[in-house]
Amino acid sequence: MAKRIFELPKEHELTKDQRMAIRKPVDGQYLVVGAPGTGKSVVALWRLRKYASDNDIVFLSFNHVLNHANKELAGSNEAYMSTAISWLYEFQWKASGGSAANYHEAKMPEEDNHKPDYPALIERFEALNANCSTTSFIIDEGQDLPQGWYEAVESLNVENFFIVADQNQQITEENSSQDELADVLGLDKNEIIHLKENWRNTTPISAFANYFYTDKSSPKPELPNKPSAHVPILYEYEKLESVKELILSSYDNDPSKLIGLFVANETKREHWARDLKNDKKQRREAPPVVSTYYYQQKGNVNIDFSQGGIVVLNDKSVKGIEFDEVFIIIDGFKAVGGDIESLKKRMYVMASRARERLFLVKSEVQNSVIEDILPPEGETFQIERNNTIEEYELLKRIKI
């Protein structure tokens, strides 16, 4: 295990659009949209750094892994940071005077397990005269929260929202489109702040992710000017052990790298987290720290983004975070109800987590629904650089 750079960029390193978003007044309602890698979380965290010391600010993330990563980046900041749903449950409990004695009366009204009944919740807030008007909210990955969540928070007389979002990264069953978010905030389209520069991905990785872009209301994100010889690769394996060796060898080559391994379901997540730790082969470097996260852990995330290692996650947990290298095992993914667009969005999110190298892995004997949406063999993309047109393959295929 080795130290890796995991910190916010300096203010002078930010783009003009990022600095403009950060410097908006603390009071008001703002929506910042951008593709993966454009620094939405960076902008949100810099905004927290700018205003938290003098204001009542709540910083909310979509999921627990992203919340954990944001806390690491925020460092010693004392602001309240949580997931959006956890904050709502906690606030509701306190507003209701919740205790063991009145548990059933004070608990969150729900449609289903951990799914609030928002109309009933709003009625409760109004009956309690619950108020949160002095608090300013910063929300990361705001597109994956339902409109009901925003309406419930607005019923608390909240007026100050700063939301960062990407419509093409909606991978939850309930979400809010860009237009819906603008409507909730009372914004015109020309009042939305757009981030356009991708500083995370290499050009080949960004081009590959763009292949799965589905948002018909806006053009594909611009490709970054970050050339690389490392084109995304699809490895087709005969023996599963060769995949394990591929991942562990990649770490052994550079233990300062944080590698993300994304899988289709909890069974595969458990298998890979266990199997990668059980490495008997003698290697040059010490064994990697293999971390993982599953839903039952709630806020107990044990991933250290400031160290090299391997992190095993399912696709629902990768929103908003990034890795030096990413392996996606495409076996086992499903298009629920034949929803190919949703599957493409999931691939878009997973692929765009990779900073430097991206690998897909599949069995040579299993059919994968994701294989059906991959670029055809030989598919290329073009980019103009230095007044010349350069052409690159979107996805190489190698048998191992």
Side-chain angles (χ1 to χ4, degrees), residues 62-63 66 141 143-144 169 171 317-321 349:
F62 166 64
N63 64 37
L66 178 57
E141 298 292 347
Q143 76 280 349
D144 271 318
Q169 292 190 74
I171 62 171
S317 297
V318 307
K319 296 292 292 290
I321 56 179
V349 170

Side-chain angles (χ1 to χ4, degrees), residues 106-361:
K107 70 177 183 179
M108 173 72 78
E110 294 182 321
E111 291 183 359
D112 202 350
N113 183 37
H114 215 63
K115 182 178 180 181
D117 181 338
Y118 290 110
L121 177 59
I122 292 171
E123 286 185 13
R124 177 173 294 183
F125 282 158
E126 290 174 349
L128 294 169
N129 291 317
N131 190 289
C132 207
S133 59
T134 61
T135 302
S136 297
F137 286 78
I138 300 175
I139 303 172
D140 195 1
E141 298 292 347
Q143 76 280 349
D144 271 318
L145 294 172
Q147 277 189 284
W149 187 93
Y150 290 102
E151 290 165 354
V153 176
E154 283 194 322
S155 74
L156 299 170
N157 298 313
V158 174
E159 296 183 352
N160 299 326
F161 285 99
F162 187 92
I163 302 170
V164 300
D166 178 3
Q167 181 163 291
N168 206 58
Q169 292 190 74
Q170 298 167 330
I171 62 171
T172 59
E173 294 178 2
E174 294 185 323
N175 51 56
S176 298
S177 69
Q178 180 176 311
D179 287 344
E180 288 168 339
L181 287 173
D183 185 58
V184 164
L185 299 179
L187 299 175
D188 294 328
K189 287 187 176 181
N190 59 2
E191 294 178 300
I192 298 173
I193 302 166
H194 293 268
L195 302 180
K196 302 182 181 67
E197 297 181 49
N198 181 336
W199 52 269
R200 174 194 297 152
N201 309 127
T202 64
T203 307
I205 291 173
S206 181
F208 178 80
N210 277 3
Y211 185 82
F212 304 98
Y213 189 78
T214 63
D215 185 5
K216 298 178 178 60
S217 65
S218 58
K220 289 184 179 180
E222 299 173 8
L223 294 180
N225 185 14
K226 293 179 66 176
S228 172
H230 298 300
V231 172
I233 296 174
L234 171 63
Y235 286 110
E236 190 171 333
Y237 67 89
E238 180 181 358
K239 297 181 179 180
L240 202 58
E241 189 66 21
S242 61
V243 180
K244 177 180 176 180
E245 180 60 28
L246 192 69
I247 297 167
L248 289 171
S249 295
S250 185
Y251 171 82
D252 203 45
N253 287 334
D254 187 350
S256 70
K257 301 296 185 185
L258 188 64
I259 297 173
L261 173 60
F262 305 157
V263 296
N265 53 55
E266 285 298 286
T267 301
K268 291 181 181 295
R269 183 198 59 75
E270 289 179 6
H271 163 80
W272 281 103
R274 181 177 60 251
D275 200 36
L276 288 170
K277 290 178 183 178
N278 187 28
D279 179 33
K280 305 300 184 184
K281 185 174 180 179
Q282 185 66 36
R283 300 186 185 276
R284 182 183 60 195
E285 301 290 343
V289 171
V290 179
S291 306
T292 189
Y293 173 80
Y294 53 96
Y295 177 73
Q296 286 78 7
Q297 288 179 249
K298 300 296 183 182
N300 298 318
V301 182
N302 63 354
I303 302 168
D304 187 350
F305 289 95
S306 67
Q307 301 285 343
I310 301 172
V311 182
V312 185
L313 298 170
N314 65 38
D315 67 313
K316 292 295 197 307
S317 297
V318 307
K319 296 292 292 290
I321 56 179
E322 65 182 34
F323 297 88
D324 302 303
E325 296 182 359
V326 165
F327 289 81
I328 305 172
I329 299 181
I330 67 174
D331 303 325
F333 280 91
K334 298 178 181 179
V336 180
D339 187 353
I340 298 300
E341 180 171 330
S342 177
L343 193 66
K344 287 181 177 180
K345 284 186 175 182
R346 293 166 73 182
M347 271 302 299
Y348 177 77
V349 170
M350 290 189 291
S352 58
R353 302 305 100 199
R355 294 180 57 192
E356 299 170 9
R357 303 193 73 174
L358 173 64
F359 307 101
L360 279 63
V361 184

